[in-house]
Amino acid sequence: MAKVKLVDVAQLASVSKSTASQFINGRYDYMSKDTQERIRAAIKELDYVPNPIARNLKADRTKTIGVIVRDITGFDTSHTIRGVDDFCKTCGYNALIYNTDFDPDVEAKSLEALYQLRVDGIIIASSGGNNKLISDYINKGMPIVHFQLEHDGNEKNLILSDYRQAAFDATEYLIRLGHKKICFVTQDFKNVKSRNDRYLGYVSALEQHNIALDKNLIQYWHRETGFEHSPISILQSKAAPSAFFTQHLAITTDLLSQLNQTKISIPEDVSLIGFDDIPMAEFFKVPITVVKQEPYIIGKEATKLLLENINDKAKGSQKLMIACSVTERQSCKKIL
């Protein structure tokens, strides 16, 4: 079926395309009742639906924002998007979601597509690989708010969990249970400030309780290849930890899989606390203690900040920190 265009409506109603456009946009006070009725009847007969994108491209505001995420299926990310969407609805805005799968090239194309669609602003969980490009769009007048990760510390508008305090609280929770050998399992954090903040929170808790930092207990996980060193081999080493503190949901699930395969019991053999809540954790044989972020709140606050910047281009940059909490379950045991 051929798509009905505005010119088809105009022809059927025997009016100019400009007159039909004026009617569509609600500017018909000057029109005769007969003209209005003919256009209305033509729209109904042809089942014409206006193209909102085409209409918005002619307006100063599109009432649309873009949201760029790294993994739309992520538990926290999906809740963040829900917060964005709910806040948009209260303000008459729509959100266009782009998923990058952690690929900087896809991220760059998403930024370009949203810019060409003339969205009013963008919320992004960036890869860190397009910092200059993002700055260029900001300099062109595109309001942009970052969330989830802080890469180089130069992000102008940012909504984040308080990672450092959260990591401190989680580490101290384990220490108060008697744990001194706590294995910190993380992705590379040298060039990502948010990941480094978690490490600093972990180190700070050890220092406050006079526990020496053991570099052997800093272990790395890579999204493509998994653990740099097998968790099983770590548990069998001289520096064997009594607890793991994992820094991402994917790390937690990967660790659980390996422990289950080798019949290592939680918390009898080793305790575990993970960063990010786990879907349906209450149904696990041993529910996992986690650091719980507030992704829904982050989504709402990011949208609020973005719309403030859209409405006031002179508004100064802001960095907002959202508190996390430790959700205690059965995966951590007290030791002597």
Side-chain angles (χ1 to χ4, degrees):
M1 181 183 295
K3 185 176 181 180
V4 178
K5 300 179 180 179
L6 182 61
V7 66
D8 300 321
V9 173
Q11 290 175 353
L12 182 61
S14 299
V15 298
S16 68
K17 182 179 177 181
S18 175
T19 299
S21 176
Q22 294 291 324
F23 180 88
I24 294 296
N25 288 287
R27 296 189 292 271
Y28 44 71
D29 289 344
Y30 70 93
M31 295 182 194
S32 68
K33 296 295 183 182
D34 178 65
T35 298
Q36 292 180 44
E37 186 54 41
R38 291 204 315 273
I39 297 173
R40 189 177 292 109
I43 290 172
K44 183 176 181 180
E45 181 177 336
L46 296 173
D47 194 22
Y48 172 73
V49 179
N51 184 336
I53 294 178
R55 292 171 65 190
N56 286 336
L57 289 175
K58 299 178 182 179
D60 291 334
R61 295 276 179 88
T62 64
K63 301 294 284 185
T64 302
I65 65 169
V67 184
I68 301 175
V69 298
R70 297 173 300 156
D71 179 10
I72 199 170
T73 65
F75 183 73
D76 277 4
T77 298
S78 63
H79 284 70
T80 302
I81 292 172
R82 179 59 187 264
V84 171
D85 187 58
D86 282 355
F87 195 91
C88 280
K89 287 173 180 174
T90 66
C91 302
Y93 263 80
N94 295 305
L96 300 176
I97 314 298
Y98 280 69
N99 184 72
T100 68
D101 286 324
F102 305 91
D103 187 330
D105 291 335
V106 175
E107 179 180 277
K109 292 176 182 177
S110 300
L111 284 161
E112 181 182 5
L114 289 169
Y115 185 74
Q116 290 178 349
L117 287 170
R118 291 184 57 184
V119 296
D120 295 338
I122 295 171
I123 298 171
I124 183 170
S126 77
S127 65
N130 290 300
N131 293 348
K132 183 181 182 303
L133 179 61
I134 291 172
S135 294
D136 289 343
Y137 280 118
I138 292 173
N139 292 334
K140 290 178 182 178
M142 174 66 72
I144 294 180
V145 171
H146 295 262
F147 78 101
Q148 276 189 343
L149 285 179
E150 183 177 15
H151 291 276
D152 58 10
N154 293 318
E155 292 87 348
K156 294 185 180 300
N157 284 293
L158 188 63
I159 307 289
L160 282 178
S161 295
D162 191 345
Y163 293 122
R164 183 165 182 168
Q165 185 62 51
F168 178 94
D169 292 343
T171 306
E172 187 173 64
Y173 169 76
L174 289 170
I175 292 171
R176 294 191 185 283
L177 289 176
H179 298 275
K180 294 184 178 181
K181 290 186 176 182
I182 302 168
C183 186
F184 184 87
V185 192
T186 182
Q187 294 170 277
D188 179 35
F189 57 82
K190 292 179 182 178
N191 298 314
V192 182
K193 187 177 183 302
S194 293
R195 293 176 187 159
N196 188 59
D197 283 344
R198 299 187 190 199
Y199 171 73
L200 293 176
Y202 164 78
V203 171
S204 180
L206 295 179
E207 290 176 347
Q208 183 158 317
H209 290 272
N210 299 311
I211 299 173
L213 175 64
D214 184 349
K215 290 290 186 178
N216 293 312
L217 294 177
I218 310 300
Q219 294 293 327
Y220 296 91
W221 177 90
H222 305 280
R223 188 169 296 280
E224 295 78 16
T225 58
F227 293 102
E228 195 169 282
H229 296 101
S230 163
I232 310 308
S233 66
I234 295 169
L235 286 172
Q236 295 170 345
S237 68
K238 291 182 180 180
S242 61
F244 285 106
F245 178 20
T246 54
Q247 301 305 303
H248 193 278
L249 177 57
I251 304 177
T252 307
T253 54
D254 200 353
L255 177 63
L256 285 170
S257 177
Q258 294 206 20
L259 295 181
N260 287 336
Q261 288 175 13
T262 52
K263 308 299 182 182
I264 293 174
S265 298
I266 297 173
E268 290 78 15
D269 299 323
V270 66
S271 291
L272 170 62
I273 183 169
F275 220 106
D276 300 332
D277 207 353
I278 302 175
M280 297 187 291
E282 64 272 20
F283 298 110
F284 283 29
K285 182 178 180 181
V286 179
I288 307 301
T289 297
V290 295
V291 174
K292 184 178 183 296
Q293 300 188 65
E294 297 295 343
Y296 182 80
I297 293 174
I298 288 174
K300 293 187 70 173
E301 290 296 327
T303 312
K304 178 182 177 183
L305 179 58
L306 182 65
L307 296 188
E308 288 174 355
N309 277 268
I310 290 170
N311 293 322
D312 181 5
K313 294 296 179 70
K315 185 178 178 63
S317 60
Q318 293 186 46
K319 177 179 178 179
L320 300 181
M321 306 289 281
I322 307 299
C324 302
S325 58
V326 175
T327 300
E328 298 181 26
R329 296 190 179 115
Q330 286 78 56
S331 65
C332 299
K333 73 171 184 178
K334 190 170 185 178
I335 62 175
L336 299 176

